[in-house]
Amino acid sequence: MTKPRILPFHRVVPRLLKDPVTELANMGTEAGGRIVRLHIGPFRPYLISHPDHVQQVLKTDSANFVREGMFWRPIRRVTGRSILGDGEGWSSSRKILQPLFTSRYTASLADDMAQIVAARVAELDGHARSGRPVDGHHEMTTIVNETIVKVLFGGRIPGDVAERLLPELSTCATTISFRLLFPFVPYSVKVPGDRAFLAAAKKIDEIVYSLIEWARKEDTGGNEVISAILRARMRQEGGADLRQVRDDLVSIYAAAAETTAVSLTWLWPLLHDHPEVRATLQEEIDQVVGEGPVLPEHVARLTYLRMVLQELVRLYPPGWIIPRQAVAGTEIGGVAVKAGSQVLVSPFTTHRLAEFWERPLEFDPERWTPGGNERRHRYASIPFGAGPHVCLGQHLFFLKAPLVIANLLSRYRIVLANPQRLTLVPGASVRPKETLMLKLLPAGRTGTA
Ligand code: HEM
């Protein structure tokens, strides 16, 4: 048996308190992808970053590594028993939801999505005229949120629902941090963030149940996700199991909205720091889309934009850790792992291993030139996970994100108004702590803040 590299309490905790995301990645990269055991008080997880080990945990031996403990236990308080769980509840949800996110099904939503995104982006014209900067994260979140709510619930949902859901989900995503990092603290002990988390979860319940009621009465029969879930759950249970429908909807919404919005937020500081990437991207969008409108058929031709997005989720994978718990004792890479141990697969770390990535800290979309990455280990790139739980939303992401970016960049020249060093805040996904202000200039004009 190989011994894992052990990092004792006094070496782990100060680093994790200082900058959890970067330091966790450093601990993995310093070990060159070897397994590291982190002694955080009674909680002693194994940090997994080597692609071979990732493959074992997420794919080949996935039945032995379940979604329990860290992260999963606290988020269950809002997502319930559905696709973000495990076992029976998960597999029945996956069967129902998978067909709703195939590339074909997603493509059938593309026209609607393109219109929603275009209309929402056009609302920013006032800012372009006045020169008043916008809060980048807020805008990305609102655009993404509105699109996802319409995909899930259809175009005719009561007006303010998207706006009401958004702050509650955001509160859940950020107030979960303490429970995420210290999962061994029992729920009977109140920790920072608990009160806000539970209040937001309750509001989400109220909003989503009212939406389900509305959808049942409307009986839209359309191809939006809520109707498909209601139909599927009806057939299975002989009468819709409303709690289950609620869990399905909240889980997909939670998986889809925050991840997409956060990754789009990271794009702007990266483009600011890489004017050459920005120029190539702008040139491609000008050539393919011109003055717009952006159509779904443009997306396949925006090949450089796709490379930028792939590099974006390599460097800043919103799902920065993928925790699992070992059911039975086993070994990973020769290291003995006891039953009940927590293992942390870390895309953020794997994507920074110099053993698998040249110049890993550099933002370089060219590494995704089609045909250029055949020799890379298949599990060295895991922004969307792998194995049976692999992300259902990849097609949606690679349709929606290009629509948002192409709409923004064909309409405006976007300049970061307050460039600065960014701090990574861990939550359900990794976001910058600082507020990023974006200045929108009418297309055709260049400028600096
Ligand atoms: C940048 C965007 C996104 C990233 C980086 C991302 C990442 C991930 C990752 C890493 C997982 C695996 C979790 C695990 O193994 O435990 C996952 C699962 C999932 N994602 Fe995404 N995701 C994104 C967007 C979306 C979107 C737009 C949807 C919309 C449907 C979505 C739906 C899901 C679902 C339902 C699962 C659970 C699948 C299962 O357990 O069977 N994701 N995602």
Side-chain angles (χ1 to χ4, degrees):
M1 281 288 153
T2 316
K3 283 219 176 312
R5 191 184 160 115
I6 291 180
L7 285 183
F9 185 84
H10 68 275
R11 288 187 48 211
V12 176
V13 172
R15 288 175 73 178
L16 286 187
L17 287 175
K18 193 176 105 207
D19 183 354
V21 182
T22 315
E23 287 302 331
L24 198 70
N26 290 344
M27 291 170 199
T29 53
E30 283 156 16
R34 271 175 51 209
I35 293 176
V36 182
R37 187 155 201 205
L38 311 169
H39 285 194
I40 313 175
F43 179 48
R44 299 186 163 188
Y46 294 86
L47 177 65
I48 304 293
S49 54
H50 192 289
D52 286 347
H53 306 160
V54 170
Q55 178 169 11
Q56 181 186 342
V57 172
L58 294 185
K59 171 93 177 155
T60 26
D61 209 2
S62 63
N64 193 41
F65 291 100
V66 294
R67 284 169 159 172
E68 269 304 330
M70 184 181 183
F71 183 75
W72 301 112
R73 187 164 166 262
I75 70 154
R76 235 180 357 238
R77 296 210 282 184
V78 65
T79 54
R81 257 173 61 86
S82 176
I83 189 86
L84 294 182
D86 220 323
E88 277 290 301
W90 165 76
S91 61
S92 98
S93 297
R94 178 113 193 165
K95 256 189 230 114
I96 289 172
L97 299 178
Q98 193 152 339
L100 302 179
F101 294 98
T102 56
S103 59
R104 249 181 83 194
Y105 194 89
T106 304
S108 76
L109 305 170
D111 286 331
D112 284 351
M113 228 186 299
Q115 278 173 27
I116 298 166
V117 174
R120 185 59 190 74
V121 168
E123 284 176 26
L124 295 171
D125 277 0
H127 287 271
R129 277 194 300 271
S130 70
R132 243 176 327 124
V134 296
D135 173 341
H137 182 62
H138 178 76
E139 286 308 325
M140 295 308 114
T141 309
T142 328
I143 298 172
V144 165
N145 182 62
E146 225 163 90
T147 327
I148 290 181
V149 165
K150 300 242 161 96
V151 169
L152 292 184
F153 301 108
R156 291 182 298 126
I157 61 161
D160 64 337
V161 170
E163 289 103 85
R164 277 166 53 218
L165 257 181
L166 175 66
E168 307 307 340
L169 243 296
S170 264
T171 302
C172 285
T174 46
T175 52
I176 204 170
S177 300
F178 190 98
R179 291 265 170 219
L180 199 82
L181 294 171
F182 303 96
F184 48 85
V185 179
Y187 285 153
S188 52
V189 177
K190 288 280 165 273
V191 303
D194 264 358
R195 191 190 295 262
F197 182 91
L198 292 173
K202 190 157 165 270
K203 289 222 184 85
I204 290 172
D205 264 9
E206 287 164 16
I207 300 170
V208 174
Y209 277 126
S210 73
L211 274 176
I212 297 172
E213 262 322 297
W214 169 84
R216 285 196 333 158
K217 284 207 198 92
E218 285 277 303
D219 190 19
T220 57
N223 66 349
E224 61 278 347
V225 172
I226 192 168
S227 308
I229 293 177
L230 273 168
R231 282 196 296 270
R233 293 297 184 190
M234 198 74 87
R235 259 184 263 123
Q236 279 199 340
E237 329 266 340
D241 173 349
L242 294 188
R243 171 86 211 173
Q244 185 63 60
V245 174
R246 174 248 172 248
D247 289 354
D248 290 337
L249 287 167
V250 173
S251 298
I252 302 172
Y253 181 80
E258 169 81 3
T259 44
T260 309
V262 165
S263 52
L264 290 179
T265 304
W266 283 113
L267 177 69
W268 308 108
L270 285 168
L271 290 185
H272 174 87
D273 291 342
H274 297 84
E276 71 296 349
V277 173
R278 183 202 173 82
T280 313
L281 183 59
Q282 188 72 57
E283 205 174 301
E284 179 180 83
I285 291 172
D286 290 348
Q287 208 171 37
V288 174
V289 176
E291 285 183 6
V294 185
L295 304 171
E297 49 270 35
H298 289 143
V299 172
R301 288 162 53 210
L302 293 166
T303 48
Y304 188 71
L305 174 51
R306 191 181 171 95
M307 287 157 60
V308 168
L309 287 171
Q310 284 172 298
E311 182 65 348
L312 182 67
V313 293
R314 179 191 73 83
L315 211 48
Y316 292 104
W320 63 296
I321 45 170
I322 307 179
R324 294 287 192 263
Q325 199 171 77
V327 178
T330 183
E331 64 166 83
I332 306 174
V335 170
V337 172
K338 286 205 183 113
S341 301
Q342 192 90 53
V343 300
L344 308 180
V345 172
S346 167
F348 200 88
T349 308
T350 305
H351 295 173
R352 281 168 169 68
L353 288 178
E355 289 75 6
F356 297 91
W357 299 93
E358 267 177 45
R359 302 164 285 107
L361 300 183
E362 239 171 72
F363 178 69
D364 177 12
E366 299 294 334
R367 63 175 102 234
W368 297 102
T369 304
N373 46 31
E374 269 111 28
R375 283 173 43 232
R376 190 173 303 132
H377 193 306
R378 181 158 159 15
Y379 291 83
S381 170
I382 47 163
F384 297 99
H389 286 293
V390 71
C391 179
L392 274 187
Q394 288 179 72
H395 298 301
L396 196 58
F397 175 75
F398 282 110
L399 174 62
K400 189 173 41 163
L403 287 174
V404 174
I405 297 166
N407 265 290
L408 284 167
L409 289 180
S410 61
R411 217 172 168 91
Y412 316 112
R413 296 286 175 265
I414 299 187
V415 180
L416 193 57
N418 59 344
Q420 59 195 298
R421 217 183 129 78
L422 299 173
T423 326
L424 298 143
V425 183
S429 44
V430 176
R431 57 166 83 180
K433 182 171 163 203
E434 295 74 14
T435 305
L436 294 170
M437 299 306 290
L438 304 178
K439 201 163 176 185
L440 314 176
L441 306 167
R445 275 179 51 195
T446 49
T448 49

